């Protein structure tokens, strides 16, 4: 794709405008959104992503659109996994429900800014060194194995990162959330509320998740424009999805295994592509490996959709069976 500076500028302005409207709505009326409100917003963002993909199809062809849709779906599914940690963070810091929207949105905006740097660095590495696919692929396979072994994180496993611990020590903090404000005054002193620490926790935690999601999407497309927009659309509706899913997250017990399969598949795909385009002198004498296939984007999309649907269906069936067993045991 040959994306001009004008297209980049228009895209960024449009996305910033959507986020600004979202932030303005939350700022004017902090509240816990209803299922209906959350459903409408999630539908809006999903529809926006589908419409954007259609625009890519019309302007750049079906291949580019397929890469966008596959990358967006992959990032969206990995972002759902982030929600487990977000729930833990909200519980750990005892954030009132009416302020959680604001925390999530600002945390996500911070994550988008930081992910932009990751994407630029990844694109620069790939353009200069094709062998970086070996590293990305191996890292994704390693991450997939760890995810399959550990499953979803729980509150006991969550530990505050260095930035959160430093912020607690260095910043003057109040004890209450003070109506959802970031700054308050006590006895003539200017203090930050705990809301700031929670936003830092959300933003930096999502950045840590980007360590596997960014290599994953580069395994699907190497177009920086598609990588960036797929990440943006995956994160934009994450706040509403957090409230929409609610208690359903606890029922998605096999999601981590499905995501492990997706990451493992993309990791293997990256390694195969690296072998097919190999120029490392100590691998096959510096020659391309002829038997290594390029996995087409349609096959990647089928594998990702099939895996996620299978993991979700299996989770819901298992949860329903467990509930019926618990009810039967309670009656007896």
């Amino acid at each position: 794709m040959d994306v001009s500076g004008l297209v980049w500028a228009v895209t960024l302005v449009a996305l910033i405008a959507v986020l600004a409207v979202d932030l303005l709505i939350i700022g004017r009326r902090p509240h816990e959104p209803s299922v209906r409100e959350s459903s409408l917003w999630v539908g809006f963002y999903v529809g926006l992503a589908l419409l954007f993909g259609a625009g890519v199809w019309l302007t750049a062809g079906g291949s580019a659109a397929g890469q966008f849709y596959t990358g967006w779906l992959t990032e969206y599914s990995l972002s759902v996994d982030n929600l487990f940690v977000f729930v833990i963070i909200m519980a750990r810091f005892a954030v009132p429900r009416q302020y959680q929207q604001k925390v999530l949105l600002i945390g996500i905006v911070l994550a988008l800014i930081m992910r932009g740097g990751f994407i630029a660095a990844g694109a620069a590495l790939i353009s200069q060194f094709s062998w970086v696919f070996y590293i990305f692929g191996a890292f994704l396979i390693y991450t997939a194995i760890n995810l399959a072994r550990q499953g979803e994180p729980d509150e006991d496993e969550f530990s505050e990162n260095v930035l959160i611990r430093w912020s607690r020590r260095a910043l003057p903090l109040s004890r209450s959330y003070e109506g959802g404000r970031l700054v308050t005054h006590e006895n003539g002193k200017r203090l930050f509320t705990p809301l700031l620490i929670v936003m830092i926790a959300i933003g930096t935690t999502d950045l840590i998740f980007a360590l596997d999601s960014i290599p994953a999407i580069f395994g699907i497309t190497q177009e920086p424009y598609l990588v960036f927009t797929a990440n943006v659309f995956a994160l934009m509706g994450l706040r509403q999805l957090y409230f929409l899913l609610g208690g359903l997250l606890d029922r998605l017990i096999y999601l981590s295994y499905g995501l492990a399969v997706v990451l493992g598949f993309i990791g293997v795909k990256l390694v195969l592509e690296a072998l097919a385009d190999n120029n490392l002198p100590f691998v096959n004498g510096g020659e391309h490996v002829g038997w290594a296939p390029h996995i087409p984007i349609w096959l990647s999309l089928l594998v990702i959709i099939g895996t996620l649907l299978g993991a979700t269906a299996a989770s819901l069936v298992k949860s329903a069976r467990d509930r019926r067993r618990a009810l039967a045991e309670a009656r007896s």
Side-chain angles (χ1 to χ4, degrees):
M1 291 181 64
D2 184 18
V3 182
S4 67
L6 178 61
V7 172
W8 270 104
V10 171
T11 302
L12 290 173
V13 169
L15 294 175
I16 290 171
V18 172
L19 288 173
V21 170
D22 209 353
L23 183 60
L24 182 63
I25 292 173
I26 296 172
R28 292 182 62 183
R29 190 170 66 92
H31 66 289
E32 179 183 352
S34 65
V35 172
R36 181 177 180 276
E37 180 184 344
S38 299
S39 300
L40 289 174
W41 274 105
V42 169
F44 169 74
Y45 280 123
V46 169
L48 205 60
L50 295 176
L51 188 62
F52 180 84
V56 173
W57 193 311
L58 291 174
T59 56
S63 177
Q67 292 174 32
F68 170 77
Y69 283 131
T70 306
W72 168 67
L73 181 61
T74 300
E75 294 298 297
Y76 204 57
S77 60
L78 291 171
S79 295
V80 171
D81 198 43
N82 296 12
L83 295 182
F84 287 94
V85 179
F86 291 172
V87 169
I88 293 172
I89 291 173
M90 295 296 186
R92 174 69 65 88
F93 290 94
V95 182
R97 294 285 289 181
Q98 67 267 31
Y99 305 142
Q100 290 183 9
Q101 283 205 85
K102 184 176 181 180
V103 171
L104 286 169
L105 182 58
I106 295 180
I108 287 168
V109 170
L110 292 174
L112 282 172
I113 294 171
M114 292 184 287
R115 281 192 183 209
F118 267 37
I119 292 168
L125 281 172
I126 290 171
S127 65
Q128 295 295 322
F129 310 105
S130 60
W131 50 261
V132 78
F133 277 178
Y134 284 115
I135 299 175
F136 281 1
F139 178 73
L140 289 179
I141 294 171
Y142 170 77
T143 303
I145 293 171
N146 282 342
L147 185 57
R149 284 178 176 175
Q150 298 171 4
E152 299 299 345
D154 55 37
E155 190 167 354
D156 293 333
E157 294 175 350
F158 175 76
S159 59
E160 297 180 0
N161 59 50
V162 174
L163 184 57
I164 298 173
R165 293 196 299 270
W166 176 85
S167 300
R168 280 182 177 277
R169 293 194 306 267
L171 298 177
L173 296 173
S174 67
R175 294 187 177 183
S176 63
Y177 283 93
E178 299 294 337
R181 296 191 296 272
L182 290 179
V183 179
T184 186
H185 293 83
E186 291 183 6
N187 300 322
K189 293 183 178 180
R190 185 181 182 185
L191 303 176
F192 294 101
T193 70
L195 209 62
L196 177 62
I197 305 298
V198 181
M199 289 177 182
I200 293 172
I202 293 290
T204 54
T205 299
D206 189 83
L207 184 62
I208 293 171
F209 275 103
L211 292 175
D212 54 46
S213 65
I214 297 300
I217 194 172
F218 272 117
I220 295 167
T221 177
Q222 286 83 59
E223 293 290 344
Y225 183 76
L226 297 181
V227 172
F228 177 74
T229 51
N231 267 273
V232 171
F233 281 109
L235 288 174
M236 280 173 69
L238 194 59
R239 171 178 62 83
Q240 292 85 0
L241 193 63
Y242 170 88
F243 291 98
L244 178 62
L245 293 180
L248 184 62
L249 286 174
D250 294 333
R251 297 170 59 189
L252 299 178
I253 54 180
Y254 295 131
L255 178 62
S256 60
Y257 300 107
L259 293 176
V261 171
V262 170
L263 289 176
F265 169 77
I266 298 175
V268 170
K269 179 177 182 291
L270 278 171
V271 172
L272 289 174
E273 291 186 1
L275 288 170
D277 299 328
N278 177 67
N279 56 16
L280 292 178
F282 52 85
V283 176
N284 197 37
E287 299 295 326
H288 303 330
V289 178
W291 58 262
H294 282 285
I295 298 176
I297 195 67
W298 64 264
L299 180 57
S300 299
L301 186 58
L302 285 179
V303 169
I304 292 168
I305 292 176
T307 301
L308 295 175
L309 288 178
T312 301
S315 296
L316 297 179
V317 169
K318 177 68 163 57
S319 298
R321 188 178 302 161
D322 289 344
R323 287 200 307 274
R324 288 195 298 267
R325 184 182 298 115
L327 287 173
E329 290 175 353
R331 290 170 182 171
S332 62

